PDB file of all heavy atoms in Angstrom:
ATOM      1  N   ARG A 150     133.821 102.080  53.217  1.00 95.00           N
ATOM      2  CA  ARG A 150     134.317 102.179  54.590  1.00 95.00           C
ATOM      3  C   ARG A 150     135.791 101.820  54.674  1.00 95.00           C
ATOM      4  O   ARG A 150     136.211 100.855  54.018  1.00 95.00           O
ATOM      5  CB  ARG A 150     133.514 101.179  55.432  1.00 95.00           C
ATOM      6  CG  ARG A 150     134.036 100.986  56.826  1.00 95.00           C
ATOM      7  CD  ARG A 150     133.251  99.864  57.504  1.00 95.00           C
ATOM      8  NE  ARG A 150     133.673  99.800  58.895  1.00 95.00           N
ATOM      9  CZ  ARG A 150     133.024  99.248  59.851  1.00 95.00           C
ATOM     10  NH1 ARG A 150     131.901  98.595  59.581  1.00 95.00           N
ATOM     11  NH2 ARG A 150     133.480  99.248  61.070  1.00 95.00           N
ATOM     12  N   SER A 151     136.591 102.550  55.450  1.00 94.00           N
ATOM     13  CA  SER A 151     137.928 102.042  55.745  1.00 94.00           C
ATOM     14  C   SER A 151     138.395 102.612  57.059  1.00 94.00           C
ATOM     15  O   SER A 151     138.017 103.718  57.460  1.00 94.00           O
ATOM     16  CB  SER A 151     138.917 102.349  54.593  1.00 94.00           C
ATOM     17  OG  SER A 151     139.304 103.725  54.642  1.00 94.00           O
ATOM     18  N   ASN A 152     139.227 101.829  57.757  1.00 92.00           N
ATOM     19  CA  ASN A 152     139.693 102.226  59.073  1.00 92.00           C
ATOM     20  C   ASN A 152     141.228 102.279  59.136  1.00 92.00           C
ATOM     21  O   ASN A 152     141.802 102.168  60.198  1.00 92.00           O
ATOM     22  CB  ASN A 152     139.256 101.182  60.168  1.00 92.00           C
ATOM     23  CG  ASN A 152     137.761 101.019  60.164  1.00 92.00           C
ATOM     24  OD1 ASN A 152     137.233 100.172  59.419  1.00 92.00           O
ATOM     25  ND2 ASN A 152     137.070 101.774  60.959  1.00 92.00           N
ATOM     26  N   THR A 153     141.857 102.442  57.988  1.00 96.00           N
ATOM     27  CA  THR A 153     143.336 102.535  58.021  1.00 96.00           C
ATOM     28  C   THR A 153     143.761 103.788  58.759  1.00 96.00           C
ATOM     29  O   THR A 153     142.955 104.733  58.953  1.00 96.00           O
ATOM     30  CB  THR A 153     143.890 102.554  56.571  1.00 96.00           C
ATOM     31  OG1 THR A 153     143.155 103.521  55.832  1.00 96.00           O
ATOM     32  CG2 THR A 153     143.711 101.187  55.893  1.00 96.00           C
ATOM     33  N   ALA A 180     131.259 106.235  53.494  1.00 96.00           N
ATOM     34  CA  ALA A 180     131.816 105.604  54.694  1.00 96.00           C
ATOM     35  C   ALA A 180     131.071 106.010  55.981  1.00 96.00           C
ATOM     36  O   ALA A 180     130.954 105.272  56.954  1.00 96.00           O
ATOM     37  CB  ALA A 180     133.279 105.940  54.838  1.00 96.00           C
ATOM     38  N   TRP A 181     130.542 107.214  55.992  1.00 96.00           N
ATOM     39  CA  TRP A 181     129.926 107.775  57.214  1.00 96.00           C
ATOM     40  C   TRP A 181     128.848 106.910  57.848  1.00 96.00           C
ATOM     41  O   TRP A 181     128.775 106.798  59.079  1.00 96.00           O
ATOM     42  CB  TRP A 181     129.373 109.216  56.994  1.00 96.00           C
ATOM     43  CG  TRP A 181     130.491 110.194  56.616  1.00 96.00           C
ATOM     44  CD1 TRP A 181     131.773 110.171  57.039  1.00 96.00           C
ATOM     45  CD2 TRP A 181     130.365 111.272  55.697  1.00 96.00           C
ATOM     46  NE1 TRP A 181     132.457 111.231  56.473  1.00 96.00           N
ATOM     47  CE2 TRP A 181     131.635 111.913  55.661  1.00 96.00           C
ATOM     48  CE3 TRP A 181     129.305 111.815  54.976  1.00 96.00           C
ATOM     49  CZ2 TRP A 181     131.883 113.032  54.874  1.00 96.00           C
ATOM     50  CZ3 TRP A 181     129.529 112.942  54.178  1.00 96.00           C
ATOM     51  CH2 TRP A 181     130.808 113.535  54.110  1.00 96.00           C
ATOM     52  N   PRO A 182     128.012 106.240  57.021  1.00 94.00           N
ATOM     53  CA  PRO A 182     126.980 105.370  57.643  1.00 94.00           C
ATOM     54  C   PRO A 182     127.604 104.298  58.494  1.00 94.00           C
ATOM     55  O   PRO A 182     126.904 103.686  59.330  1.00 94.00           O
ATOM     56  CB  PRO A 182     126.217 104.792  56.450  1.00 94.00           C
ATOM     57  CG  PRO A 182     126.457 105.740  55.336  1.00 94.00           C
ATOM     58  CD  PRO A 182     127.862 106.281  55.557  1.00 94.00           C
ATOM     59  N   PHE A 183     128.878 103.941  58.275  1.00 92.00           N
ATOM     60  CA  PHE A 183     129.519 102.822  58.999  1.00 92.00           C
ATOM     61  C   PHE A 183     130.395 103.355  60.142  1.00 92.00           C
ATOM     62  O   PHE A 183     131.194 102.594  60.675  1.00 92.00           O
ATOM     63  CB  PHE A 183     130.349 101.970  58.029  1.00 92.00           C
ATOM     64  CG  PHE A 183     129.594 101.529  56.851  1.00 92.00           C
ATOM     65  CD1 PHE A 183     129.752 102.103  55.587  1.00 92.00           C
ATOM     66  CD2 PHE A 183     128.622 100.513  56.976  1.00 92.00           C
ATOM     67  CE1 PHE A 183     129.009 101.675  54.509  1.00 92.00           C
ATOM     68  CE2 PHE A 183     127.881 100.050  55.897  1.00 92.00           C
ATOM     69  CZ  PHE A 183     128.058 100.651  54.667  1.00 92.00           C
ATOM     70  N   ASN A 184     130.360 104.652  60.411  1.00 90.00           N
ATOM     71  CA  ASN A 184     131.211 105.218  61.481  1.00 90.00           C
ATOM     72  C   ASN A 184     130.956 104.530  62.790  1.00 90.00           C
ATOM     73  O   ASN A 184     129.844 104.555  63.331  1.00 90.00           O
ATOM     74  CB  ASN A 184     130.927 106.732  61.634  1.00 90.00           C
ATOM     75  CG  ASN A 184     131.694 107.337  62.798  1.00 90.00           C
ATOM     76  OD1 ASN A 184     132.859 107.052  62.987  1.00 90.00           O
ATOM     77  ND2 ASN A 184     131.000 108.096  63.602  1.00 90.00           N
ATOM     78  N   PRO A 185     131.993 103.873  63.397  1.00 87.00           N
ATOM     79  CA  PRO A 185     131.777 103.122  64.640  1.00 87.00           C
ATOM     80  C   PRO A 185     131.921 104.032  65.855  1.00 87.00           C
ATOM     81  O   PRO A 185     131.796 103.542  67.013  1.00 87.00           O
ATOM     82  CB  PRO A 185     132.878 102.090  64.573  1.00 87.00           C
ATOM     83  CG  PRO A 185     133.961 102.724  63.775  1.00 87.00           C
ATOM     84  CD  PRO A 185     133.344 103.726  62.888  1.00 87.00           C
ATOM     85  N   CYS A 186     132.232 105.303  65.708  1.00 83.00           N
ATOM     86  CA  CYS A 186     132.638 106.126  66.817  1.00 83.00           C
ATOM     87  C   CYS A 186     131.582 107.083  67.331  1.00 83.00           C
ATOM     88  O   CYS A 186     131.808 107.836  68.289  1.00 83.00           O
ATOM     89  CB  CYS A 186     133.876 106.923  66.481  1.00 83.00           C
ATOM     90  SG  CYS A 186     135.296 105.861  66.113  1.00 83.00           S
ATOM     91  N   LEU A 193     137.510 102.227  66.580  1.00 89.00           N
ATOM     92  CA  LEU A 193     138.560 102.443  65.605  1.00 89.00           C
ATOM     93  C   LEU A 193     137.998 103.473  64.582  1.00 89.00           C
ATOM     94  O   LEU A 193     137.104 103.145  63.831  1.00 89.00           O
ATOM     95  CB  LEU A 193     138.898 101.106  64.931  1.00 89.00           C
ATOM     96  CG  LEU A 193     140.080 101.074  64.016  1.00 89.00           C
ATOM     97  CD1 LEU A 193     141.362 101.489  64.751  1.00 89.00           C
ATOM     98  CD2 LEU A 193     140.281  99.685  63.416  1.00 89.00           C
ATOM     99  N   PRO A 194     138.520 104.698  64.625  1.00 91.00           N
ATOM    100  CA  PRO A 194     137.887 105.756  63.773  1.00 91.00           C
ATOM    101  C   PRO A 194     138.060 105.467  62.272  1.00 91.00           C
ATOM    102  O   PRO A 194     138.982 104.733  61.864  1.00 91.00           O
ATOM    103  CB  PRO A 194     138.662 107.000  64.139  1.00 91.00           C
ATOM    104  CG  PRO A 194     139.565 106.668  65.252  1.00 91.00           C
ATOM    105  CD  PRO A 194     139.676 105.154  65.347  1.00 91.00           C
ATOM    106  N   LEU A 195     137.203 106.060  61.506  1.00 95.00           N
ATOM    107  CA  LEU A 195     137.334 105.986  60.067  1.00 95.00           C
ATOM    108  C   LEU A 195     138.606 106.708  59.588  1.00 95.00           C
ATOM    109  O   LEU A 195     139.151 107.525  60.315  1.00 95.00           O
ATOM    110  CB  LEU A 195     136.106 106.562  59.394  1.00 95.00           C
ATOM    111  CG  LEU A 195     134.787 105.810  59.598  1.00 95.00           C
ATOM    112  CD1 LEU A 195     133.611 106.592  58.968  1.00 95.00           C
ATOM    113  CD2 LEU A 195     134.843 104.417  58.988  1.00 95.00           C
ATOM    114  N   THR A 196     139.074 106.373  58.428  1.00 97.00           N
ATOM    115  CA  THR A 196     140.342 106.830  57.874  1.00 97.00           C
ATOM    116  C   THR A 196     140.453 108.358  57.733  1.00 97.00           C
ATOM    117  O   THR A 196     139.616 108.989  57.090  1.00 97.00           O
ATOM    118  CB  THR A 196     140.544 106.196  56.487  1.00 97.00           C
ATOM    119  OG1 THR A 196     140.516 104.803  56.671  1.00 97.00           O
ATOM    120  CG2 THR A 196     141.854 106.626  55.886  1.00 97.00           C
ATOM    121  N   PRO A 197     141.477 108.973  58.348  1.00 98.00           N
ATOM    122  CA  PRO A 197     141.753 110.388  58.087  1.00 98.00           C
ATOM    123  C   PRO A 197     142.338 110.563  56.672  1.00 98.00           C
ATOM    124  O   PRO A 197     143.026 109.686  56.203  1.00 98.00           O
ATOM    125  CB  PRO A 197     142.799 110.772  59.117  1.00 98.00           C
ATOM    126  CG  PRO A 197     143.155 109.538  59.877  1.00 98.00           C
ATOM    127  CD  PRO A 197     142.488 108.363  59.267  1.00 98.00           C
ATOM    128  N   LYS A 218     136.680 110.691  55.117  1.00 98.00           N
ATOM    129  CA  LYS A 218     135.934 109.641  55.823  1.00 98.00           C
ATOM    130  C   LYS A 218     135.995 109.885  57.322  1.00 98.00           C
ATOM    131  O   LYS A 218     135.009 109.795  58.014  1.00 98.00           O
ATOM    132  CB  LYS A 218     136.527 108.245  55.492  1.00 98.00           C
ATOM    133  CG  LYS A 218     136.382 107.851  53.988  1.00 98.00           C
ATOM    134  CD  LYS A 218     136.859 106.404  53.824  1.00 98.00           C
ATOM    135  CE  LYS A 218     137.316 106.093  52.408  1.00 98.00           C
ATOM    136  NZ  LYS A 218     136.269 106.185  51.369  1.00 98.00           N
ATOM    137  N   GLY A 219     137.222 110.158  57.812  1.00 97.00           N
ATOM    138  CA  GLY A 219     137.402 110.475  59.224  1.00 97.00           C
ATOM    139  C   GLY A 219     137.890 111.930  59.309  1.00 97.00           C
ATOM    140  O   GLY A 219     137.385 112.797  58.594  1.00 97.00           O
ATOM    141  N   PHE A 220     138.950 112.192  60.148  1.00 97.00           N
ATOM    142  CA  PHE A 220     139.481 113.538  60.274  1.00 97.00           C
ATOM    143  C   PHE A 220     139.990 113.954  58.862  1.00 97.00           C
ATOM    144  O   PHE A 220     140.466 113.121  58.059  1.00 97.00           O
ATOM    145  CB  PHE A 220     140.677 113.578  61.176  1.00 97.00           C
ATOM    146  CG  PHE A 220     140.368 113.404  62.661  1.00 97.00           C
ATOM    147  CD1 PHE A 220     139.079 113.104  63.083  1.00 97.00           C
ATOM    148  CD2 PHE A 220     141.333 113.596  63.621  1.00 97.00           C
ATOM    149  CE1 PHE A 220     138.756 112.943  64.437  1.00 97.00           C
ATOM    150  CE2 PHE A 220     141.066 113.467  64.967  1.00 97.00           C
ATOM    151  CZ  PHE A 220     139.783 113.134  65.390  1.00 97.00           C
ATOM    152  N   PRO A 244     129.934 112.463  60.550  1.00 94.00           N
ATOM    153  CA  PRO A 244     130.390 112.149  61.903  1.00 94.00           C
ATOM    154  C   PRO A 244     131.900 112.181  62.054  1.00 94.00           C
ATOM    155  O   PRO A 244     132.650 111.615  61.194  1.00 94.00           O
ATOM    156  CB  PRO A 244     129.862 110.740  62.126  1.00 94.00           C
ATOM    157  CG  PRO A 244     129.751 110.117  60.769  1.00 94.00           C
ATOM    158  CD  PRO A 244     129.418 111.284  59.818  1.00 94.00           C
TER     159      PRO A 244
END
Side-chain angles (χ1 to χ4, degrees):
R150 172 187 187 162
S151 77
N152 305 88
T153 49
W181 298 327
F183 307 104
N184 174 46
C186 298
L193 191 58
L195 293 174
T196 301
K218 296 187 204 297
F220 289 8

